[in-house]
Amino acid sequence: MKMHFCIPVSQQRLDPLGGRFVLYSVYLDGYLFCRVRYSRLHRWNEQLRRVFGNCLPPFPPKYYLAMTTSMADERRDQLEQYLQNVTMDPDMLRSDVFIDFLKLVQLDTFNITTKTASLDIFLPDGRNIPVEILTSDTAERVLEVVSHRMGLCQELLGYFGLFLIRFCKEGKLSVMKKLVDFELPYVSLRSAEVENCKVGLRKWYMDPSLDSVLMDCPAAVDLIYMQAIQDFEKEWAKPTQAQRQKLEALQKEHNQTKFLELSQEVRHYGYLQLDPCTCDYPEPGCGAVLSVGNNEISCCITLPDNQTQEIIFQMNRVKCWQVTFLGTLPNMEGPQRTLNQNLELRFQFSEDSGWQWFVIYTKQAFLLSSCLKKMISEKMLKLAAENPEMQIEVPEQGKSKKYHIQQSQSKDSFRFLPRKSKIEMAKVECVFGIIKEEDL
């Protein structure tokens, strides 16, 4: 599926010879990823084309005369679409020409040179593992180093990921984003400019039943056991009183297997809980706490009379969703390196009366979108395993598999929308969730 790349702002600069050029601010999952010139992106596209031929998406053409404002906006939109589409090919994502370029622009943007460094990777039980890396090591590489230190089976790496996590007051934590394979954790941590932010290791799947795949690897069991305990302590998982007593007894016995088996029966076990946010149901401004997992979105809403109501949206009722930036676009010269302060995610779901929109205002909109995509991918994998005649493209760690599946040929696109007006936004088809074969 498409990645959350967007280019909401660009700025003209002067080169040393007095000529003008445009510098594009590229954001990934709401955080500044790099700043790059069109000419560098153009050379990168030419390198990719020499390796992959005509399977690349179209790249915006050169202009030999001065661009008008509308032409500049069109090029920015086209570059944004190019970055979203070029990352859909799993073979391209693993290629050296792809990864080396993105590593270089990240380092250049934040003025970080390649050198040896120590990076602390935090575990769910509060411990940290210091690892010696290069500042240019990708998240995929750092995950391999950490897993080797812990004895985690290499074939299980795809079930785990590195995350930027902010540790708040009173022991609370906030998952900010998952680092994609080609991101540089050392750079991302220093560029986030968020207080008490750390790189953490967590499992990365939304279907709790997938725990069973990991049970033959002691290191993997240790990790998911640690995270389960953390989720119970943070009250992300919500056991009954009887379940809590049994879990506490099993924890005292250090019986990890039985503990995890019982956890499967606990409400919201294995879900990711977002920070408190607001929504538009039953009226704008209502407080909400969202938990995502097991093929559903659970919303605990505080009503105007301070009563609470839980609404559950099954993913098979969700047709599509979109992320929109509601605020003023950031000044490139200013300190803002994140778009997460004024975001909304809205999804369309089926009701007896037809299709309805549910709007959530949350700084974790991109993380929520990543979780929704993950649930869809896991569902498609499960369907493919149950029906060998289906065919979908399933990217795995270091390889890909194909299955056959019939899909409706409905349009699927991702656009990051600066908010202009309610009316204009309603006219733009901007969806993640309608899946086509080439998106998987």
Side-chain angles (χ1 to χ4, degrees), residues 280-389:
D280 70 343
Y281 179 88
E283 60 184 66
C286 287
V289 175
L290 271 65
S291 298
V292 192
N294 201 22
N295 215 35
E296 68 179 28
I297 308 166
S298 174
C299 305
C300 183
I301 299 171
T302 302
L303 303 175
D305 60 1
N306 287 327
Q307 298 294 313
T308 59
Q309 176 183 355
E310 184 174 20
I311 303 177
I312 296 176
F313 301 94
Q314 298 291 333
M315 284 302 293
N316 57 12
R317 292 175 54 203
V318 175
K319 178 183 179 182
C320 59
W321 68 91
Q322 65 190 29
V323 176
T324 306
F325 178 57
L326 304 177
T328 305
L329 294 176
N331 184 342
M332 273 189 58
E333 301 297 338
Q336 186 171 352
R337 291 182 177 177
T338 174
L339 301 175
N340 291 355
Q341 299 306 312
N342 298 286
L343 292 173
E344 75 166 30
L345 183 144
R346 58 174 55 210
F347 59 85
Q348 194 175 25
F349 66 98
S350 62
E351 266 193 338
D352 294 338
S353 58
W355 293 100
Q356 304 290 332
W357 285 97
F358 187 87
V359 183
I360 304 158
Y361 304 95
T362 170
K363 62 184 179 182
Q364 294 167 297
F366 286 109
L367 176 64
L368 175 56
S369 179
S370 295
C371 292
L372 300 184
K373 290 196 294 182
K374 190 68 173 175
M375 287 193 289
I376 289 175
S377 296
E378 290 172 0
K379 183 67 173 178
M380 301 308 292
L381 276 169
K382 184 174 289 189
L383 288 173
E386 293 171 354
N387 189 344
E389 295 181 359

Side-chain angles (χ1 to χ4, degrees), residues 8-101:
V9 65
S10 60
Q11 188 178 61
Q12 281 200 359
R13 293 285 183 88
L14 289 175
D15 63 28
L17 299 179
R20 294 183 178 273
F21 66 90
V22 176
L23 198 63
Y24 296 94
S25 291
V26 179
Y27 286 74
L28 177 60
D29 294 334
Y31 291 85
L32 182 63
F33 179 74
C34 70
R35 294 186 177 117
V36 63
R37 296 178 61 168
Y38 169 87
S39 58
R40 289 188 74 178
L41 290 170
H42 185 274
R43 288 194 295 271
W44 180 49
N45 174 69
E46 293 299 310
Q47 292 172 334
L48 288 171
R49 197 166 296 278
R50 284 194 287 271
V51 177
F52 295 99
N54 295 325
C55 66
L56 279 125
F59 190 83
K62 283 184 176 181
Y63 293 122
Y64 294 96
L65 299 175
M67 289 190 295
T68 63
T69 301
S70 62
M71 292 167 67
D73 288 342
E74 182 182 22
R75 171 180 280 183
R76 180 163 55 83
D77 290 342
Q78 290 173 340
L79 287 172
E80 184 176 282
Q81 290 294 307
Y82 175 83
L83 288 173
Q84 292 167 10
N85 291 324
V86 79
T87 53
M88 290 172 60
D89 186 337
D91 293 327
M92 205 168 301
L93 286 173
R94 291 188 294 269
S95 68
D96 290 341
V97 65
F98 179 92
I99 294 172
D100 290 346
F101 174 80

Side-chain angles (χ1 to χ4, degrees), residues 217-229:
C217 177
V221 172
D222 284 343
L223 275 172
I224 60 176
Y225 176 70
M226 279 187 259
Q227 187 168 327
I229 292 175

Side-chain angles (χ1 to χ4, degrees), residues 150-204:
M150 299 185 65
L152 183 63
C153 302
Q154 293 294 304
E155 60 269 22
L156 300 179
L157 284 186
Y159 293 95
F160 296 90
L162 297 178
F163 295 78
L164 286 185
I165 301 174
R166 182 168 60 91
F167 291 81
C168 313
K169 295 179 180 179
E170 301 175 354
K172 295 182 179 180
L173 62 85
S174 172
V175 179
M176 297 164 55
K177 66 169 292 184
K178 180 189 179 294
L179 298 174
V180 301
D181 285 349
F182 54 77
E183 279 189 270
L184 310 183
Y186 182 91
V187 176
S188 296
L189 182 61
R190 278 148 186 78
S191 64
E193 294 186 337
V194 176
E195 191 176 359
N196 297 323
C197 179
K198 301 173 182 178
V199 178
L201 176 63
R202 297 176 59 85
K203 66 183 183 183
W204 179 229

Side-chain angles (χ1 to χ4, degrees), residues 250-275:
L250 292 170
Q251 186 177 350
K252 289 178 181 178
E253 297 171 4
H254 302 289
N255 192 332
Q256 295 179 331
T257 302
K258 292 293 184 181
F259 184 97
L260 293 170
E261 287 176 358
L262 178 57
S263 296
Q264 293 287 328
E265 303 173 13
V266 174
R267 177 169 162 260
H268 289 182
Y269 168 70
Y271 287 42
L272 178 67
Q273 182 171 301
L274 303 185
D275 298 345

